[in-house]
Amino acid sequence: MLNIVLFGAPGAGKGTQSDLLVEKYNLNHISTGDLLRKEIADGTELGKRIKSIMDSGSLVSDDIVVEMIDNAIARDTQGILFDGFPRNVAQAETLDKLLAKHGRKLTCMISLDVPREELIRRMLERAKISGRSDDNEETIKNRLKEYEAKTLPVAAYYEGKGLHVKVNGYGDIKDISANVIAEIEKRK
Ligand code: AMP
């Protein structure tokens, strides 16, 4: 059973590549960002607590997302594509434990590599149409800062385990996807 982490900075194209991979391998797409946005849209207690944090571009607390991931793994029967999780090394360590608890292990972490200027360009472009309240210039800067300070070390964590695979994320969507799939095929 495939258990893949799709990794990359905000704007790296995780959403687009997730859709293609989920369809190809019939995976369960678990995006913590989507799950959190749904809590806000549904007006739940949790949603009310996290809205201002998400609007600022900072990370919400580990406990919240870890519980979501634990539930998702428990329910899944087809394999998972993790998108937007883990976002820091503590979350990565927890993911290893949760997968082991359910008798699974990570297939690999695919990291989409995109130059910083291109990330900013894409996010500003997306901001015009997404309607996401965290797609504005100030928040984008904070999201990239959070990524560089807290999330980037996750790549080194999986590198140490021989599970980190870097793929060029700049160029034609179909070429990127073909490269991602080729890497998964080597490891599945
Ligand atoms: P995303 O849709 O993945 O870009 O996530 C949007 C926002 O949701 C982030 O800026 C964080 O505030 C929050 N978020 C999503 N995933 C996580 C996570 N794994 N840990 C903490 N915060 C998260």
Side-chain angles (χ1 to χ4, degrees):
M1 189 187 276
L2 290 175
N3 295 286
I4 297 170
V5 170
L6 191 61
F7 185 83
K14 296 190 295 292
T16 308
Q17 292 301 325
S18 290
D19 290 345
L20 297 166
L21 288 178
V22 161
E23 198 186 316
K24 168 146 180 79
Y25 292 109
N26 190 29
L27 298 172
N28 215 335
H29 181 198
I30 307 295
S31 155
T32 40
D34 284 351
L35 292 171
L36 294 167
R37 277 185 289 278
K38 184 167 187 312
E39 294 288 335
I40 295 174
D42 290 350
T44 64
E45 277 309 310
L46 174 61
K48 285 177 196 146
R49 272 195 352 248
I50 61 179
K51 181 163 177 18
S52 59
I53 303 170
M54 282 183 70
D55 281 349
S56 75
S58 297
L59 298 182
V60 307
S61 85
D62 290 349
D63 295 352
I64 294 171
V65 285
V66 163
E67 194 184 331
M68 289 175 159
I69 293 289
D70 195 7
N71 291 335
I73 299 175
R75 278 197 302 266
D76 172 70
T77 54
Q78 61 198 78
I80 300 182
L81 183 78
F82 297 95
D83 166 6
F85 180 93
R87 267 313 218 279
N88 59 35
V89 172
Q91 290 182 13
E93 288 167 349
T94 306
L95 177 61
D96 286 345
K97 288 188 197 126
L98 291 178
L99 286 171
K101 181 173 106 178
H102 294 281
R104 304 185 186 204
K105 58 184 177 20
L106 198 67
T107 311
C108 59
M109 179 183 100
I110 303 275
S111 163
L112 296 173
D113 192 30
V114 176
R116 199 173 198 276
E117 315 78 71
E118 172 67 7
L119 294 171
I120 295 172
R121 192 194 65 76
R122 287 186 192 174
M123 280 195 285
L124 288 174
E125 211 37 49
R126 186 172 76 182
K128 293 183 197 153
I129 49 166
S130 75
R132 268 176 62 163
S133 48
D134 61 350
D135 272 343
N136 58 71
E137 199 161 350
E138 196 183 325
T139 306
I140 286 169
K141 280 197 196 128
N142 192 34
R143 284 161 66 200
L144 278 174
K145 210 172 93 200
E146 287 279 272
Y147 173 78
E148 280 155 5
K150 297 177 185 164
T151 309
L152 212 44
V154 174
Y157 173 84
Y158 284 118
E159 185 75 40
K161 293 179 176 280
L163 291 171
H164 177 214
V165 186
K166 205 173 187 173
V167 173
N168 173 25
Y170 184 45
D172 186 76
I173 289 175
K174 288 215 184 76
D175 293 342
I176 297 167
S177 151
N179 290 336
V180 170
I181 288 168
E183 294 296 345
I184 293 173
E185 289 296 313
K186 283 188 216 160
R187 288 165 178 83
K188 74 174 196 190

